[in-house]
Amino acid sequence: MTTEDRTAEHSTEGSYVHKGKPFDRDMNYIDDRITRDGRDGWPVEAGRYRLIAARACPWANRTLISRRLLGLEEALSVGMPGPTHDRRSWTFDLDEGGVDPVLGYERLQQAYFARFPDYPRGITVPAVVDVPTRAVVTNDFQRITLDFATEWTALHREGAPDLYPQSQREEIDALNTWMLHRVNNGVYKVGFAGGQEVYEKEYRELWAALDELEERLADRRYLMGPSLTEADVRLFPTLIRFDPVYFGHFKANRQPLVTMPNLWNYTKDLFQTPGFGDTVDLQQIKEHYYIVHEDINPTQVVPLGPDMSGLLEAHDRDRFPTDTWGVGGTAPEPPLAAEVVDPAHTPLHVTGR
């Protein structure tokens, strides 16, 4: 069996749904860390690493938000694959000539193989690549944003928020773990359920969790209180994809998010907050799910709707005590010119009207 064949077995695409079985996400990732002391051999250095983060992917979306909020754009360059991929890898089809301009690669797979020639698992985003060696360092999406917040502090912008405050870490960790299994991955458990009984169980679990979050957001602006934290960075990418994708495509259709006043206004609030909505490409999101997941959408037809222009309407979240950026914190600057989302892929244009 060739290396390419082995990769296809654990690929980013393929058969997600197995008859009669629940969806089981492979949570084994490259767990090397980039730290201030370089204890894993990867010290934090401005300009040394490149973040590969497709806008379509919710796990990658987290890293784009964190990078923006903390002001790491100049220290950590970003490469953005297109919204779809084949059995082998995410590809850089949005770049001129289909090649990442820094790494010189057509496929993210090449960065993985540069370090692990027999890499046996999925070629996933986000991934951080060491530019001098053009080899992947880590794809541990659970750890990457925590390290951005705690290990990259010397490169943070002035006024960067503390997204992982020491006094709240235990509660943030518990909430994040719960959200991972019940919400962030919960939507996938519903969408890739292999049978009616499995589907109904996961559907009920997901909606019970969303109801809990609706209640939690009834007395506070953000998940942890008056200020933004890592928990908000992790929930938002799931919520912004809910009505365009998870509601219909994943059959999580008890009700659209727009009918849940706290969750929907919270989503609008974050979408309108610098660093969140300006990382979202609604067209790429829809193309990714509806084209790649042939198991559940064999026609690969991408829906025109829903109308998402409501994201730009007024929200009611400022009725709560608010200190969005924390003590001494400020909003990030606008995105770099090269990283501005295509205006045609924003709520005013990606609609069902």
Side-chain angles (χ1 to χ4, degrees):
M1 183 181 290
T2 66
T3 301
E4 181 176 321
D5 290 335
R6 283 193 295 272
T7 301
E9 287 192 331
H10 302 277
S11 66
T12 46
E13 186 197 0
S15 179
Y16 296 94
V17 180
H18 301 281
K19 188 173 178 60
K21 295 182 179 180
F23 173 64
D24 184 18
R25 182 178 297 279
D26 183 353
M27 292 293 290
N28 293 292
Y29 295 93
I30 304 166
D31 60 2
D32 284 23
R33 294 175 59 189
I34 300 170
T35 57
R36 57 167 59 90
D37 62 5
R39 54 186 176 273
D40 286 351
W42 310 105
V44 171
E45 292 180 19
R48 175 170 174 176
Y49 305 100
R50 186 161 176 81
L51 172 65
I52 307 302
R55 290 197 189 275
C57 171
W59 318 108
N61 197 171
R62 298 176 176 186
T63 62
L64 294 174
I65 294 169
S66 179
R67 175 176 172 268
R68 285 272 295 118
L69 296 180
L70 299 174
L72 293 172
E73 293 101 319
E74 298 293 346
L76 177 67
S77 69
V78 67
M80 295 186 186
T84 63
H85 52 67
D86 58 23
R87 289 181 62 81
R88 291 169 59 193
S89 174
W90 294 85
T91 55
F92 295 104
D93 47 290
L94 300 180
D95 292 307
E96 185 176 355
V99 174
D100 180 88
V102 173
L103 301 176
Y105 288 150
E106 296 178 355
R107 294 176 171 276
L108 179 56
Q109 180 188 61
Q110 293 168 272
Y112 279 69
F113 287 175
R115 184 168 175 208
F116 305 107
D118 295 317
Y119 189 73
R121 300 187 181 279
I123 307 299
T124 61
V125 291
V128 182
V129 177
D130 178 47
V131 173
T133 62
R134 301 194 303 161
V136 68
V137 175
T138 181
N139 65 345
D140 187 352
F141 70 92
Q142 293 285 87
R143 189 71 238 176
I144 289 172
T145 53
L146 293 181
D147 284 343
F148 282 174
T150 59
E151 299 291 334
W152 290 65
T153 52
L155 299 176
H156 287 183
R157 65 178 176 88
E158 184 177 354
D162 183 359
L163 297 174
Y164 196 47
Q166 187 71 49
S167 63
Q168 293 182 300
R169 288 184 185 179
E170 185 174 347
E171 185 180 355
I172 290 172
D173 289 344
L175 180 59
N176 284 346
T177 298
W178 177 82
M179 287 195 302
L180 170 65
H181 295 292
R182 296 286 299 277
V183 181
N184 305 134
N185 196 40
V187 291
Y188 288 87
K189 292 177 182 179
V190 174
F192 295 148
Q196 189 69 33
E197 184 177 347
V198 174
Y199 163 76
E200 291 184 12
K201 173 183 177 296
E202 300 298 351
Y203 177 99
R204 293 188 182 98
E205 289 281 311
L206 170 64
W207 278 105
L210 289 172
D211 286 339
E212 284 191 47
L213 289 171
E214 175 76 3
E215 183 176 353
R216 183 185 183 96
L217 289 167
D219 63 1
R220 66 193 76 189
R221 183 158 188 175
Y222 306 110
L223 287 172
M224 296 300 299
S227 302
L228 290 168
T229 67
E230 173 76 11
D232 303 294
V233 172
R234 296 193 182 199
L235 181 58
F236 174 77
T238 298
L239 298 183
I240 199 65
R241 287 160 175 77
F242 197 88
D243 285 5
V245 175
Y246 304 143
F247 176 82
H249 182 59
F250 278 0
K251 306 182 186 70
N253 58 355
R254 190 188 78 180
Q255 63 192 100
L257 201 67
V258 70
T259 66
M260 303 184 75
N262 295 326
L263 278 169
W264 178 239
N265 278 285
Y266 169 81
T267 302
K268 289 194 291 183
D269 184 8
L270 291 184
F271 186 84
Q272 296 169 30
T273 299
F276 284 86
D278 53 38
T279 69
V280 173
D281 189 312
L282 290 168
Q283 185 62 29
Q284 286 196 26
I285 287 169
K286 291 199 294 187
E287 288 178 6
H288 170 70
Y289 285 92
Y290 284 97
I291 292 174
V292 170
H293 298 160
E294 293 183 64
D295 277 14
I296 55 178
N297 188 40
T299 65
Q300 299 181 294
V301 171
V302 180
L304 293 177
D307 184 347
M308 297 297 290
S309 59
L311 286 166
L312 303 176
E313 295 174 354
H315 60 78
D316 63 0
R317 304 300 294 172
D318 49 7
R319 71 185 191 273
F320 298 117
T322 299
D323 185 16
T324 299
W325 306 107
V327 178
T330 59
E333 295 295 320
L336 299 176
E339 297 178 16
V340 173
V341 174
D342 185 339
H345 296 178
T346 58
L348 286 178
H349 299 277
V350 182
T351 73
R353 292 177 296 184

